[in-house]
Coordinates of all heavy atoms in Angstrom, one line a residue:
G1 N -10.0 -1.0 4.2 CA -9.1 -0.9 5.3 C -8.1 0.2 5.1 O -7.8 0.9 6.1
V2 N -7.5 0.3 3.9 CA -6.4 1.3 3.7 C -7.0 2.7 3.9 O -6.4 3.6 4.5 CB -5.8 1.1 2.3 CG1 -4.8 2.3 2.0 CG2 -5.1 -0.2 2.3
R3 N -8.2 2.9 3.3 CA -8.9 4.2 3.4 C -9.1 4.6 4.9 O -8.9 5.7 5.3 CB -10.2 4.2 2.6 CG -11.0 5.5 2.8 CD -10.4 6.7 2.2 NE -11.1 7.9 2.5 CZ -12.0 8.5 1.7 NH1 -12.3 7.9 0.6 NH2 -12.6 9.5 2.1
M4 N -9.6 3.6 5.7 CA -9.9 3.8 7.1 C -8.6 4.2 7.8 O -8.6 5.1 8.7 CB -10.6 2.6 7.7 CG -12.0 2.5 7.2 SD -13.0 1.2 8.0 CE -11.9 0.0 8.5
A5 N -7.5 3.4 7.5 CA -6.2 3.7 8.2 C -5.7 5.1 7.9 O -5.3 5.8 8.7 CB -5.2 2.7 7.7
N6 N -5.9 5.5 6.6 CA -5.5 6.9 6.2 C -6.4 7.9 6.9 O -5.9 9.0 7.4 CB -5.5 7.0 4.7 CG -4.3 6.4 4.1 OD1 -3.3 6.2 4.7 ND2 -4.5 5.9 2.9
D7 N -7.7 7.7 6.9 CA -8.6 8.6 7.6 C -8.3 8.8 9.0 O -8.2 9.9 9.5 CB -10.1 8.1 7.4 CG -10.6 8.2 6.1 OD1 -10.1 9.0 5.2 OD2 -11.7 7.6 5.8
R8 N -8.0 7.7 9.7 CA -7.5 7.8 11.1 C -6.2 8.6 11.3 O -6.1 9.4 12.2 CB -7.4 6.4 11.7 CG -8.7 5.7 12.0 CD -8.6 4.5 12.9 NE -7.7 3.5 12.2 CZ -8.1 2.5 11.4 NH1 -9.4 2.4 11.2 NH2 -7.3 1.7 10.9
A9 N -5.3 8.4 10.4 CA -4.0 9.0 10.5 C -4.2 10.5 10.3 O -3.6 11.3 11.0 CB -3.0 8.5 9.5
F10 N -5.0 10.9 9.3 CA -5.2 12.3 9.0 C -5.9 13.0 10.3 O -5.6 14.1 10.7 CB -6.0 12.6 7.8 CG -5.1 12.6 6.5 CD1 -4.7 11.4 5.9 CD2 -4.7 13.8 6.0 CE1 -3.9 11.5 4.8 CE2 -3.9 13.9 4.9 CZ -3.5 12.7 4.3
A11 N -6.9 12.3 10.8 CA -7.7 12.8 11.9 C -6.8 13.0 13.1 O -6.9 14.0 13.8 CB -8.9 11.9 12.2
A12 N -5.9 12.0 13.4 CA -5.1 12.1 14.5 C -4.1 13.2 14.4 O -3.7 13.8 15.4 CB -4.3 10.7 14.7
A13 N -3.7 13.5 13.2 CA -2.8 14.7 12.9 C -3.5 16.0 12.9 O -2.9 17.1 12.8 CB -2.0 14.5 11.6
G14 N -4.9 16.0 13.0 CA -5.6 17.2 12.9 C -5.6 17.9 11.5 O -5.8 19.1 11.4
V15 N -5.5 17.0 10.5 CA -5.4 17.5 9.1 C -6.7 17.1 8.4 O -7.1 16.0 8.5 CB -4.2 16.9 8.4 CG1 -4.2 17.4 7.0 CG2 -2.9 17.3 9.1
T16 N -7.3 18.1 7.7 CA -8.4 17.8 6.9 C -8.0 17.6 5.5 O -7.2 18.4 4.9 CB -9.5 19.0 7.0 OG1 -9.8 19.2 8.3 CG2 -10.7 18.7 6.1
R17 N -8.4 16.6 4.9 CA -8.0 16.4 3.5 C -9.2 16.4 2.6 O -10.4 16.1 3.0 CB -7.3 15.1 3.3 CG -8.1 13.8 3.6 CD -7.2 12.6 3.4 NE -8.0 11.4 3.7 CZ -7.9 10.3 3.0 NH1 -6.9 10.2 2.1 NH2 -8.7 9.3 3.3
R18 N -9.0 16.8 1.4 CA -10.0 16.8 0.4 C -9.8 15.7 -0.7 O -8.7 15.8 -1.3 CB -10.1 18.2 -0.3 CG -11.2 18.3 -1.3 CD -11.2 19.7 -1.9 NE -10.1 20.0 -2.7 CZ -9.9 19.7 -4.0 NH1 -10.9 19.1 -4.7 NH2 -8.8 20.0 -4.7
V19 N -10.7 14.8 -0.8 CA -10.5 13.7 -1.7 C -11.3 14.0 -3.0 O -12.5 14.1 -2.9 CB -11.0 12.4 -1.1 CG1 -10.9 11.2 -2.2 CG2 -10.2 12.1 0.1
A20 N -10.6 14.3 -4.1 CA -11.3 14.6 -5.4 C -11.7 13.4 -6.0 O -12.8 13.4 -6.7 CB -10.3 15.5 -6.2
Y21 N -11.0 12.3 -5.9 CA -11.4 11.0 -6.6 C -10.6 9.9 -5.9 O -9.6 10.2 -5.2 CB -11.1 11.0 -8.1 CG -9.7 11.5 -8.5 CD1 -8.7 10.6 -8.5 CD2 -9.5 12.8 -8.8 CE1 -7.4 11.0 -8.9 CE2 -8.3 13.3 -9.2 CZ -7.2 12.4 -9.2 OH -6.0 12.8 -9.6
E22 N -11.1 8.7 -6.0 CA -10.4 7.6 -5.4 C -10.1 6.6 -6.6 O -10.9 6.4 -7.5 CB -11.2 6.9 -4.4 CG -11.4 7.7 -3.1 CD -12.1 7.0 -2.0 OE1 -11.7 5.8 -1.8 OE2 -13.1 7.5 -1.5
V23 N -9.0 5.9 -6.5 CA -8.6 4.9 -7.4 C -8.4 3.6 -6.6 O -7.7 3.6 -5.6 CB -7.3 5.3 -8.1 CG1 -6.8 4.3 -9.1 CG2 -7.4 6.7 -8.8
A24 N -9.0 2.5 -7.1 CA -9.0 1.3 -6.4 C -7.8 0.3 -6.6 O -7.7 -0.6 -5.8 CB -10.3 0.6 -6.7
D25 N -7.0 0.5 -7.6 CA -5.9 -0.4 -7.8 C -4.6 0.4 -7.8 O -4.4 1.5 -8.2 CB -6.1 -1.2 -9.1 CG -5.9 -0.3 -10.3 OD1 -6.9 0.4 -10.6 OD2 -4.9 -0.4 -11.0
T26 N -3.6 -0.3 -7.3 CA -2.3 0.3 -7.1 C -1.6 0.8 -8.4 O -1.0 1.9 -8.4 CB -1.3 -0.7 -6.3 OG1 -1.9 -1.1 -5.2 CG2 0.0 -0.1 -6.0
G27 N -1.7 0.0 -9.4 CA -1.1 0.4 -10.7 C -1.7 1.7 -11.2 O -0.9 2.6 -11.7
S28 N -3.0 2.0 -11.0 CA -3.6 3.2 -11.4 C -3.1 4.4 -10.6 O -2.8 5.5 -11.0 CB -5.1 3.2 -11.4 OG -5.5 2.3 -12.4
V29 N -3.0 4.1 -9.2 CA -2.5 5.1 -8.3 C -1.1 5.6 -8.7 O -0.8 6.7 -8.8 CB -2.5 4.7 -6.8 CG1 -1.8 5.7 -6.0 CG2 -3.9 4.4 -6.4
I30 N -0.2 4.6 -9.0 CA 1.1 4.9 -9.4 C 1.1 5.7 -10.7 O 1.9 6.7 -10.8 CB 1.9 3.6 -9.6 CG1 2.2 2.9 -8.2 CG2 3.3 3.8 -10.3 CD1 2.7 1.5 -8.3
G31 N 0.3 5.4 -11.7 CA 0.2 6.2 -12.9 C -0.3 7.6 -12.6 O 0.3 8.5 -13.2
F32 N -1.3 7.7 -11.8 CA -1.8 9.1 -11.5 C -0.7 9.9 -10.8 O -0.5 11.1 -11.2 CB -3.0 9.0 -10.5 CG -4.3 8.8 -11.2 CD1 -4.5 7.7 -12.1 CD2 -5.4 9.6 -11.0 CE1 -5.7 7.5 -12.8 CE2 -6.6 9.5 -11.6 CZ -6.7 8.4 -12.5
V33 N 0.0 9.3 -9.9 CA 1.2 10.0 -9.2 C 2.2 10.4 -10.2 O 2.7 11.5 -10.2 CB 1.7 9.1 -8.0 CG1 3.0 9.8 -7.5 CG2 0.7 9.0 -6.9
R34 N 2.6 9.4 -11.0 CA 3.7 9.6 -12.0 C 3.4 10.8 -13.0 O 4.2 11.5 -13.4 CB 4.0 8.4 -12.7 CG 5.2 8.4 -13.6 CD 5.5 7.1 -14.3 NE 5.5 5.9 -13.5 CZ 6.4 5.5 -12.7 NH1 7.5 6.2 -12.6 NH2 6.3 4.4 -11.9
H35 N 2.1 10.9 -13.3 CA 1.7 12.0 -14.2 C 1.2 13.3 -13.6 O 0.7 14.1 -14.2 CB 0.6 11.4 -15.2 CG 1.2 10.3 -16.1 ND1 1.0 9.0 -15.8 CD2 1.8 10.5 -17.3 CE1 1.6 8.3 -16.8 NE2 2.1 9.2 -17.7
G36 N 1.5 13.4 -12.2 CA 1.2 14.6 -11.5 C -0.3 14.8 -11.3 O -0.7 16.0 -11.0
L37 N -1.1 13.8 -11.3 CA -2.5 13.9 -11.1 C -2.9 13.7 -9.7 O -4.1 13.8 -9.3 CB -3.3 13.0 -12.1 CG -3.0 13.3 -13.6 CD1 -3.6 12.1 -14.4 CD2 -3.6 14.6 -14.0
A38 N -2.0 13.1 -8.9 CA -2.4 12.7 -7.5 C -1.2 12.7 -6.6 O -0.1 12.7 -7.1 CB -3.1 11.4 -7.6
V39 N -1.5 12.6 -5.3 CA -0.5 12.3 -4.3 C -1.0 11.0 -3.7 O -2.2 10.8 -3.4 CB -0.6 13.5 -3.2 CG1 0.3 13.1 -2.0 CG2 -0.1 14.8 -3.8
G40 N -0.1 10.1 -3.5 CA -0.4 8.8 -2.9 C 0.4 8.5 -1.7 O 1.5 8.9 -1.5
L41 N -0.2 7.7 -0.8 CA 0.4 7.2 0.3 C 0.8 5.7 0.0 O -0.1 4.8 0.2 CB -0.4 7.2 1.6 CG -0.7 8.7 2.1 CD1 -1.8 8.6 3.2 CD2 0.6 9.3 2.6
L42 N 1.9 5.5 -0.5 CA 2.3 4.1 -0.9 C 3.7 3.8 -0.4 O 4.6 4.7 -0.4 CB 2.3 4.1 -2.5 CG 1.0 4.3 -3.2 CD1 1.3 4.5 -4.7 CD2 0.1 3.1 -3.0
P43 N 4.0 2.6 -0.2 CA 5.4 2.2 0.1 C 6.3 2.4 -1.1 O 5.9 2.1 -2.2 CB 5.3 0.7 0.5 CG 3.8 0.4 0.7 CD 3.1 1.4 -0.1
R44 N 7.5 2.8 -0.8 CA 8.5 3.0 -1.9 C 8.7 1.7 -2.7 O 9.0 1.7 -3.9 CB 9.8 3.4 -1.3 CG 10.9 3.8 -2.3 CD 12.2 4.2 -1.6 NE 12.0 5.4 -0.9 CZ 12.4 6.6 -1.3 NH1 13.0 6.8 -2.4 NH2 12.2 7.7 -0.5
S45 N 8.5 0.5 -2.0 CA 8.7 -0.8 -2.6 C 7.7 -1.0 -3.8 O 8.0 -1.9 -4.6 CB 8.7 -1.9 -1.6 OG 7.4 -1.9 -1.0
F46 N 6.7 -0.3 -3.8 CA 5.7 -0.4 -4.9 C 6.2 0.1 -6.2 O 5.6 -0.1 -7.3 CB 4.4 0.3 -4.6 CG 3.5 -0.5 -3.6 CD1 3.9 -1.5 -2.8 CD2 2.1 -0.2 -3.5 CE1 3.1 -2.2 -2.0 CE2 1.3 -0.9 -2.7 CZ 1.8 -1.9 -1.9
F47 N 7.3 0.9 -6.2 CA 7.7 1.5 -7.4 C 9.0 0.9 -7.9 O 10.1 1.1 -7.3 CB 8.0 3.0 -7.1 CG 6.8 3.9 -6.9 CD1 6.2 3.8 -5.6 CD2 6.3 4.6 -7.9 CE1 5.1 4.6 -5.4 CE2 5.1 5.3 -7.7 CZ 4.5 5.3 -6.4
E48 N 8.9 0.0 -8.9 CA 10.1 -0.6 -9.5 C 10.9 0.5 -10.3 O 12.1 0.5 -10.2 CB 9.7 -1.7 -10.5 CG 9.2 -2.9 -9.8 CD 8.9 -4.0 -10.7 OE1 9.3 -4.0 -11.9 OE2 8.1 -4.9 -10.4
D49 N 10.2 1.4 -10.9 CA 10.8 2.6 -11.6 C 10.3 3.8 -11.0 O 9.1 4.1 -11.0 CB 10.4 2.5 -13.1 CG 10.9 3.7 -13.9 OD1 11.7 4.5 -13.4 OD2 10.4 3.9 -15.0
A50 N 11.1 4.6 -10.4 CA 10.7 5.8 -9.7 C 10.8 7.1 -10.5 O 10.7 8.2 -10.0 CB 11.5 6.0 -8.4
T51 N 10.9 6.9 -11.8 CA 11.0 8.1 -12.8 C 9.8 8.9 -12.6 O 8.6 8.4 -12.7 CB 11.2 7.6 -14.2 OG1 12.3 6.7 -14.3 CG2 11.3 8.7 -15.1
G52 N 10.0 10.2 -12.4 CA 8.9 11.1 -12.3 C 8.1 11.2 -11.0 O 7.1 11.7 -10.9
V53 N 8.7 10.5 -10.0 CA 8.1 10.4 -8.7 C 9.0 11.0 -7.6 O 10.2 10.7 -7.7 CB 7.7 8.9 -8.3 CG1 7.2 8.8 -6.9 CG2 6.8 8.3 -9.4
V54 N 8.5 11.8 -6.7 CA 9.3 12.3 -5.6 C 8.7 11.7 -4.4 O 7.5 11.7 -4.1 CB 9.1 13.8 -5.5 CG1 9.9 14.4 -4.4 CG2 9.7 14.5 -6.8
F55 N 9.6 11.1 -3.6 CA 9.2 10.5 -2.3 C 9.4 11.5 -1.1 O 10.5 12.1 -1.0 CB 10.0 9.2 -2.0 CG 9.8 8.2 -3.1 CD1 10.6 8.0 -4.1 CD2 8.6 7.4 -2.9 CE1 10.4 7.1 -5.1 CE2 8.4 6.4 -3.9 CZ 9.2 6.3 -5.0
V56 N 8.4 11.7 -0.3 CA 8.5 12.6 0.8 C 8.2 11.7 2.1 O 7.2 11.1 2.2 CB 7.4 13.7 0.7 CG1 7.4 14.6 1.9 CG2 7.6 14.5 -0.6
P57 N 9.2 11.7 3.0 CA 8.9 10.9 4.2 C 7.8 11.5 5.0 O 7.6 12.6 5.1 CB 10.3 11.0 4.9 CG 11.1 12.0 4.3 CD 10.4 12.4 3.0
I58 N 7.1 10.6 5.7 CA 6.0 10.9 6.6 C 6.6 11.2 8.0 O 7.4 10.4 8.5 CB 5.0 9.8 6.7 CG1 4.3 9.6 5.4 CG2 4.0 10.1 7.8 CD1 3.4 8.4 5.3
R59 N 6.3 12.4 8.5 CA 6.8 12.7 9.8 C 5.9 12.1 10.8 O 4.7 12.0 10.6 CB 6.9 14.3 10.0 CG 7.9 14.9 9.2 CD 7.9 16.4 9.5 NE 6.6 16.9 9.2 CZ 6.3 18.2 8.9 NH1 7.3 19.1 8.9 NH2 5.1 18.6 8.6
G60 N 6.5 11.8 12.0 CA 5.7 11.2 13.0 C 5.3 9.8 12.7 O 6.0 9.0 12.0
R61 N 4.1 9.3 13.2 CA 3.7 7.9 13.0 C 3.0 7.8 11.7 O 2.0 8.4 11.4 CB 2.8 7.6 14.1 CG 2.4 6.1 14.1 CD 1.7 5.7 15.5 NE 1.3 4.4 15.3 CZ 0.0 4.0 15.6 NH1 -0.9 4.9 15.9 NH2 -0.3 2.8 15.4
A62 N 3.5 6.9 10.8 CA 2.8 6.6 9.5 C 1.6 5.7 9.7 O 1.5 5.0 10.7 CB 3.9 5.9 8.6
P63 N 0.6 5.8 8.9 CA -0.6 5.0 8.9 C -0.2 3.5 8.9 O 0.8 3.1 8.2 CB -1.4 5.4 7.7 CG -0.8 6.6 7.2 CD 0.6 6.7 7.7
Q64 N -0.9 2.7 9.7 CA -0.6 1.3 9.7 C -1.8 0.6 9.1 O -3.0 0.9 9.4 CB -0.4 0.9 11.2 CG 0.7 1.5 11.9 CD 2.1 1.0 11.3 OE1 2.3 -0.2 11.1 NE2 2.9 2.0 11.0
F65 N -1.5 -0.4 8.3 CA -2.6 -1.2 7.7 C -2.1 -2.7 7.8 O -1.0 -3.0 7.4 CB -2.8 -0.9 6.3 CG -3.8 -1.7 5.6 CD1 -5.2 -1.5 5.9 CD2 -3.5 -2.6 4.7 CE1 -6.1 -2.3 5.3 CE2 -4.4 -3.4 4.0 CZ -5.8 -3.2 4.3
V66 N -2.8 -3.5 8.5 CA -2.5 -4.8 8.8 C -3.3 -5.8 7.9 O -4.6 -5.7 7.8 CB -2.6 -5.2 10.2 CG1 -2.3 -6.7 10.5 CG2 -1.8 -4.3 11.1
T67 N -2.7 -6.7 7.2 CA -3.3 -7.7 6.4 C -3.1 -9.1 7.0 O -1.9 -9.3 7.4 CB -2.8 -7.7 4.9 OG1 -3.1 -6.4 4.4 CG2 -3.5 -8.7 4.1
A68 N -4.1 -9.8 7.2 CA -3.9 -11.2 7.7 C -4.1 -12.2 6.6 O -5.0 -12.0 5.7 CB -4.9 -11.4 8.9
I69 N -3.4 -13.3 6.7 CA -3.6 -14.4 5.7 C -3.9 -15.6 6.5 O -3.2 -16.0 7.4 CB -2.3 -14.6 4.8 CG1 -2.1 -13.3 4.0 CG2 -2.4 -15.8 4.0 CD1 -0.8 -13.4 3.2
A70 N -4.9 -16.3 6.1 CA -5.4 -17.6 6.7 C -5.3 -18.7 5.7 O -5.6 -18.5 4.5 CB -6.8 -17.5 7.2
T71 N -4.7 -19.8 6.1 CA -4.6 -21.0 5.3 C -5.2 -22.1 6.0 O -5.1 -22.2 7.2 CB -3.1 -21.3 4.9 OG1 -2.3 -21.5 6.0 CG2 -2.5 -20.1 4.1
P72 N -5.7 -23.1 5.3 CA -6.3 -24.3 6.0 C -5.2 -25.1 6.7 O -4.1 -25.3 6.2 CB -6.8 -25.1 4.8 CG -6.9 -24.2 3.6 CD -5.9 -23.2 3.8
S73 N -5.5 -25.5 7.9 CA -4.6 -26.3 8.7 C -4.6 -27.8 8.3 O -3.7 -28.5 8.7 CB -4.9 -26.1 10.2 OG -6.2 -26.6 10.5
N74 N -5.6 -28.2 7.6 CA -5.7 -29.6 7.3 C -5.2 -30.0 5.9 O -5.5 -31.2 5.5 CB -7.2 -30.0 7.4 CG -8.1 -29.3 6.5 OD1 -7.7 -28.3 5.9 ND2 -9.3 -29.8 6.3
R75 N -4.6 -29.1 5.2 CA -3.9 -29.5 3.9 C -2.8 -28.6 3.7 O -2.6 -27.5 4.2 CB -5.0 -29.5 2.8 CG -5.5 -28.1 2.4 CD -6.5 -28.3 1.2 NE -6.9 -27.0 0.8 CZ -8.0 -26.5 1.0 NH1 -8.9 -27.1 1.8 NH2 -8.4 -25.3 0.6
R76 N -1.9 -29.1 2.8 CA -0.7 -28.4 2.4 C -1.0 -27.2 1.5 O -1.9 -27.3 0.7 CB 0.2 -29.4 1.6 CG 1.6 -28.8 1.4 CD 2.6 -29.9 0.8 NE 3.9 -29.4 0.8 CZ 4.5 -29.0 -0.4 NH1 3.8 -29.1 -1.5 NH2 5.7 -28.6 -0.4
A77 N -0.3 -26.1 1.7 CA -0.6 -24.9 0.9 C -0.2 -25.2 -0.5 O 0.8 -25.9 -0.8 CB 0.3 -23.7 1.5
T78 N -0.9 -24.6 -1.5 CA -0.6 -24.7 -2.9 C 0.7 -24.0 -3.2 O 1.2 -23.2 -2.4 CB -1.7 -24.1 -3.7 OG1 -1.7 -22.7 -3.5 CG2 -3.1 -24.7 -3.4
A79 N 1.2 -24.3 -4.4 CA 2.4 -23.6 -4.8 C 2.2 -22.1 -4.9 O 3.2 -21.3 -4.5 CB 2.9 -24.2 -6.2
A80 N 1.1 -21.7 -5.3 CA 0.8 -20.2 -5.5 C 0.8 -19.6 -4.1 O 1.3 -18.5 -3.9 CB -0.5 -20.0 -6.2
T81 N 0.2 -20.3 -3.1 CA 0.1 -19.8 -1.7 C 1.6 -19.7 -1.1 O 1.9 -18.7 -0.5 CB -0.7 -20.7 -0.9 OG1 -2.1 -20.7 -1.4 CG2 -0.8 -20.1 0.6
R82 N 2.3 -20.7 -1.4 CA 3.7 -20.7 -0.8 C 4.5 -19.6 -1.5 O 5.3 -18.9 -0.8 CB 4.4 -22.1 -1.1 CG 3.8 -23.2 -0.2 CD 4.6 -24.4 -0.2 NE 4.9 -24.9 -1.5 CZ 4.2 -25.8 -2.2 NH1 3.0 -26.2 -1.8 NH2 4.6 -26.2 -3.5
A83 N 4.3 -19.4 -2.7 CA 5.1 -18.3 -3.4 C 4.6 -16.9 -2.9 O 5.5 -16.0 -2.6 CB 4.8 -18.3 -4.9
L84 N 3.4 -16.7 -2.7 CA 2.9 -15.4 -2.1 C 3.5 -15.2 -0.7 O 3.9 -14.2 -0.4 CB 1.3 -15.4 -2.0 CG 0.7 -14.2 -1.3 CD1 1.0 -12.9 -2.0 CD2 -0.8 -14.4 -1.2
L85 N 3.4 -16.2 0.1 CA 4.0 -16.1 1.5 C 5.4 -15.8 1.5 O 6.0 -15.0 2.3 CB 3.7 -17.4 2.3 CG 2.2 -17.6 2.6 CD1 2.0 -19.0 3.3 CD2 1.7 -16.5 3.6
Q86 N 6.2 -16.4 0.5 CA 7.6 -16.1 0.4 C 7.8 -14.6 0.0 O 8.7 -14.0 0.6 CB 8.2 -17.0 -0.7 CG 9.7 -16.9 -0.9 CD 10.3 -17.8 -1.9 OE1 9.6 -18.3 -2.7 NE2 11.5 -18.1 -1.8
V87 N 7.0 -14.1 -0.9 CA 7.2 -12.7 -1.3 C 6.9 -11.8 -0.1 O 7.6 -10.9 0.2 CB 6.2 -12.3 -2.5 CG1 6.1 -10.8 -2.6 CG2 6.7 -13.0 -3.7
L88 N 5.8 -12.1 0.7 CA 5.5 -11.3 1.8 C 6.6 -11.4 2.9 O 6.9 -10.3 3.5 CB 4.1 -11.8 2.4 CG 2.9 -11.6 1.5 CD1 1.7 -12.3 2.1 CD2 2.6 -10.1 1.3
R89 N 7.1 -12.5 3.1 CA 8.2 -12.6 4.1 C 9.4 -11.8 3.7 O 10.1 -11.2 4.5 CB 8.6 -14.0 4.3 CG 7.5 -14.8 5.1 CD 8.0 -16.3 5.4 NE 7.0 -17.0 6.1 CZ 6.2 -18.0 5.6 NH1 6.4 -18.4 4.3 NH2 5.2 -18.5 6.2
R90 N 9.7 -11.8 2.4 CA 10.9 -11.1 1.8 C 10.7 -9.6 2.0 O 11.6 -8.9 2.2 CB 11.1 -11.5 0.4 CG 12.3 -11.0 -0.2 CD 12.6 -11.5 -1.6 NE 11.5 -11.5 -2.6 CZ 11.0 -12.5 -3.1 NH1 11.4 -13.8 -2.8 NH2 10.0 -12.4 -4.0
H91 N 9.4 -9.1 2.0 CA 9.2 -7.7 2.1 C 8.7 -7.3 3.5 O 8.1 -6.3 3.7 CB 8.1 -7.3 1.1 CG 8.6 -7.3 -0.3 ND1 9.4 -6.3 -0.8 CD2 8.5 -8.3 -1.3 CE1 9.7 -6.6 -2.1 NE2 9.2 -7.8 -2.4
G92 N 9.1 -8.2 4.5 CA 8.8 -7.8 5.9 C 7.5 -8.2 6.4 O 7.1 -7.7 7.4
G93 N 6.7 -9.0 5.7 CA 5.4 -9.4 6.1 C 5.4 -10.6 6.9 O 6.3 -10.8 7.7
A94 N 4.5 -11.5 6.6 CA 4.2 -12.7 7.4 C 5.4 -13.4 8.0 O 6.5 -13.5 7.6 CB 3.6 -13.7 6.4

């Protein structure tokens, strides 16, 4: 989903990008960016420590990626689910 959102954003801007490699987890992306090996499209909130990272604002409309969370309606959410939903609400999600 994230790749598709980025592909659409680049296409809409008329920009061709060259993907040399893809990294599947956020921690690795942050490491690659921090060590000058990549450029990433990540929210600033993903970086607890911004040492070695330069943030450049996106002009125009930023790519949108929507995540949906479904929980069973016939039982109470677990403690882990409630904690996750609390974090998402705190960061502007659910």
